Amino acid sequence: MKRLKKILFYTTESLAAFSLFAMLVVVTYQVIARYMPNMTIPSWTEELARFILIYIIAFAGGLAIEKKAYVGMDSFYMMLPFRGKKVLDLLFNIMTGYLFYIILKYGYDLMLKVKIQLTPAMRISMSYIYFSLPLLGFLVLLFIILDSLATIKSLIKNEEVMVSTPDEHLIYYVSEEEKIRKLEEEKADELMHKNKTGKEDI
């Protein structure tokens, strides 16, 4: 499962980064063309930039689930015991997964309905644009399933399972107990350093 998550994470992240770079190139060309006297602004540049932005969101949606980057309120969550937090995590994943299943299902149906419609400037099928909806639903569902499996494993073992992105410095979930332990270690190190410095001054 770790290998699958690593491949999925790097592939999605690379596609999101490439899409962002492509949009940057298109918008930069459009801005330069406005101020150059002998250059014309193609009508498709603005349209292409909008479509690329849609795909950036589709690729980044799953990454946000993986990194726990969505905005949330954790006041009530932090009051729960360990197992209560895990059950709430699973409940959240079920509700979010159902939402993105709806997006996947009806987004695919919508994609098929608009395949004969063409974009105004680029004259390509709108199905290529609406494909971003089922893609978003699929990627988010996949990351939710992987996260749910890790949560279930944590519940079975009754211990915190540190789940991280392929880059080890991007740990996206740290238990409250782990945060407290690290703070206590930092305070102890700081106190030891002060005592050592005081002895050297004497």
Side-chain angles (χ1 to χ4, degrees), residues 15-178:
L15 289 171
F18 176 78
S19 300
L20 181 61
F21 175 75
M23 187 178 74
L24 180 63
V25 170
V26 172
V27 172
T28 302
Y29 173 72
Q30 186 183 38
V31 171
I32 292 174
R34 287 178 182 177
Y35 295 97
M36 297 296 288
N38 296 325
M39 290 184 68
T40 57
I41 305 175
S43 58
W44 53 265
T45 53
E46 185 177 348
E47 187 175 86
L48 180 59
R50 290 200 305 268
F51 294 159
I52 294 175
L53 178 61
I54 293 171
Y55 271 91
I56 292 174
I57 296 170
F59 292 130
L63 295 175
I65 289 288
E66 169 70 10
K67 296 181 179 180
K68 301 289 184 185
Y70 286 111
V71 175
M73 296 180 63
D74 60 355
S75 300
F76 173 72
Y77 180 84
M78 299 311 298
M79 295 168 59
L80 294 174
F82 172 77
R83 297 186 71 84
K85 291 177 183 178
K86 293 302 169 186
V87 171
L88 193 61
D89 285 339
L90 280 176
L91 182 61
F92 171 78
N93 282 349
I94 290 171
M95 292 189 295
T96 308
Y98 180 71
L99 170 65
F100 282 94
Y101 166 74
I102 296 296
I103 293 176
L104 170 61
K105 182 178 184 299
Y106 290 98
Y108 179 75
D109 293 339
L110 184 60
M111 181 190 73
L112 295 179
K113 289 179 180 178
V114 299
K115 63 181 180 180
I116 60 173
Q117 183 180 348
L118 302 179
T119 61
M122 299 174 64
R123 309 305 294 172
I124 61 173
S125 173
M126 284 295 293
S127 61
Y128 294 117
I129 315 307
Y130 279 90
F131 174 68
S132 60
L133 285 174
L135 177 64
L136 171 65
F138 173 75
L139 289 175
V140 172
L141 270 175
L142 203 51
F143 278 111
I144 284 176
I145 290 171
L146 293 173
D147 183 73
S148 297
L149 290 174
T151 304
I152 292 171
K153 181 180 178 181
S154 180
L155 267 173
I156 293 172
K157 290 188 174 184
N158 198 29
E159 63 182 13
E160 194 62 75
V161 176
M162 299 298 291
V163 184
S164 64
T165 59
D167 298 314
E168 291 302 320
H169 63 283
L170 294 176
I171 297 176
Y172 70 73
Y173 185 88
V174 180
S175 66
E176 191 67 17
E177 293 79 7
E178 183 71 13

